Amino acid sequence: MADITAGMVKELREKTDAPMMECKKALTEADGDMGKAEEILRVKLGNKASKAASRVAAEGVVAVYISSDQKLGAIVEVNCETDFVAKNDDFLAMSAKLAEMVAKDNPDNVEALSALHINGVSVEETRKALIGKIGENMSIRRFVRVAAKGALSNYIHGGAKVGVLVDVTGGDAMLAKDISMHIAASKPKSLDSSGVDAELIATERRVAIEKAKEDGKAEAMIEKIAEGTVQKFLKSVSLLSQPFVKDDKQTIEQLLKSKGAVIHSFTLYVVGEGIEKKVTDFAAEVAEAAAAAKAAKVN
């Protein structure tokens, strides 16, 4: 049996970023063979990642990358299970690197991004290794890459829970930052009414019609009321027609015009938006775990 030294454990940890005890166990199992121990860890960490994969990851961060000339950028949402892990330095570093890779390597989708390499190791293996180290499920949910027509600006809010990437021509850096902050606060659905999802509009119209009927409005008036409601909705969710958060006496469109500026596009990500989160009864979970432990002792 090979003598497993602290130096060997340290070397394997540096290679794999796995916990110290896991490294020692792998080296012992591999009889000191560093290459074999690394393979053992990859298998173990992969298995651990598979076990975690069934758990909902609705926390996480939004990471943004912008090139030095502000012409190329990317925004990515990376999820985990708890807010605690969302603040982990390794998780944050991986998320930031992913945003940079999206911008520079231009992958078609999450699968293509996962196949790219970080320091010789695939993104997927890097993700699994971090899952193994921390013990929480993690996933790359979505990303957007932008080749700017103007200059890119961004805003990150609430511990990276909300992120904005915006492409602006004209104005100055302060205007671009103000627009980014406005988007984070007001959460528009699109740049103008033409970009609002048709299903959202249809839903607003149906609701307005049913409400008008319940209020006893005349049949001849219902369609007009519904149209008015839809137009009000479109105005509220279209960036250009929203009142500017710092000065509600002017719209974003009026602000841009006064500065000789144009917004070409924007992306707004809110962490976990649309993900169904499991509501857990903590007391019941503890009781269940205690009962399981007691049953195990009896058996």
Side-chain angles (χ1 to χ4, degrees):
M1 179 67 71
D3 183 25
I4 308 302
T5 66
M8 293 169 68
V9 174
K10 182 175 181 292
E11 181 183 350
L12 185 58
R13 174 169 169 72
E14 288 175 350
K15 280 186 174 183
T16 63
D17 209 22
M20 291 291 242
M21 287 307 298
E22 292 294 332
C23 290
K24 186 174 181 180
K25 288 177 185 176
L27 282 164
T28 301
E29 187 177 338
D31 198 22
D33 185 319
M34 190 66 65
K36 188 175 179 182
E38 190 173 346
E39 287 183 17
I40 290 169
L41 274 179
R42 284 193 171 187
V43 170
K44 286 184 176 180
L45 294 179
N47 288 342
K48 194 169 185 179
S50 296
K51 290 175 183 177
S54 62
R55 301 198 294 268
V56 175
E59 294 295 337
V61 295
V62 177
V64 174
Y65 170 86
I66 296 177
S67 62
S68 58
D69 62 3
Q70 296 180 276
K71 288 293 184 181
L72 183 65
I75 182 168
V76 59
E77 180 184 347
V78 186
N79 297 125
C80 56
E81 294 177 53
T82 65
D83 188 53
F84 177 77
V85 170
K87 297 172 184 174
N88 176 273
D89 288 341
D90 291 335
F91 179 77
L92 291 171
M94 181 182 74
S95 301
K97 183 62 178 177
L98 290 174
E100 181 182 356
M101 293 172 75
V102 168
K104 293 181 176 179
D105 297 314
N106 195 19
D108 290 333
N109 49 39
V110 171
E111 184 178 354
L113 173 59
S114 298
L116 296 176
H117 286 74
I118 302 173
N119 298 325
V121 180
S122 73
V123 167
E124 178 62 12
E125 287 299 323
T126 301
R127 182 187 72 87
K128 286 183 177 179
L130 193 54
I131 290 173
K133 177 184 177 182
I134 296 176
E136 269 198 25
N137 189 23
M138 300 170 196
S139 61
I140 306 165
R141 185 184 183 195
R142 52 183 174 168
F143 62 78
V144 168
R145 178 181 185 270
V146 180
K149 294 179 180 178
L152 292 172
S153 180
N154 77 288
Y155 179 67
I156 298 294
H157 179 72
K161 300 302 182 189
V162 179
V164 176
L165 183 62
V166 61
D167 179 6
V168 183
T169 294
D172 55 20
M174 181 59 72
L175 174 68
K177 182 62 70 175
D178 280 346
I179 294 296
S180 298
M181 291 175 67
H182 171 95
I183 293 168
S186 298
K187 297 180 175 57
K189 301 291 186 185
S190 68
L191 186 59
D192 56 35
S193 59
S194 67
V196 179
D197 188 285
E199 185 54 41
L200 286 177
I201 298 172
T203 299
E204 289 298 315
R205 188 179 297 279
R206 285 195 301 271
V207 170
I209 289 172
E210 290 305 314
K211 189 173 184 304
K213 287 179 178 178
E214 284 187 9
D215 290 343
K217 301 297 183 184
E219 191 69 31
M221 293 293 295
I222 289 177
E223 191 57 41
K224 186 178 289 187
I225 291 169
E227 182 59 27
T229 301
V230 166
Q231 291 306 315
K232 186 177 179 180
F233 167 73
L234 289 173
K235 187 176 180 181
S236 71
V237 299
S238 301
L239 175 59
L240 294 180
S241 59
Q242 288 181 332
F244 180 36
V245 290
K246 287 189 173 182
D247 177 12
D248 61 9
K249 291 181 173 59
Q250 64 177 333
T251 65
I252 294 296
E253 186 171 26
Q254 290 167 337
L255 172 65
L256 292 168
K257 188 175 181 180
S258 71
K259 303 290 186 179
V262 175
I263 298 175
H264 299 289
S265 67
F266 75 87
T267 300
L268 165 67
Y269 279 170
V270 179
V271 169
E273 185 177 36
I275 298 176
E276 186 176 348
K277 301 181 184 182
K278 182 180 178 182
V279 178
T280 302
D281 183 334
F282 184 70
E285 192 174 282
V286 171
E288 185 180 340
K294 185 176 180 180
K297 285 182 180 180
V298 173
N299 295 333

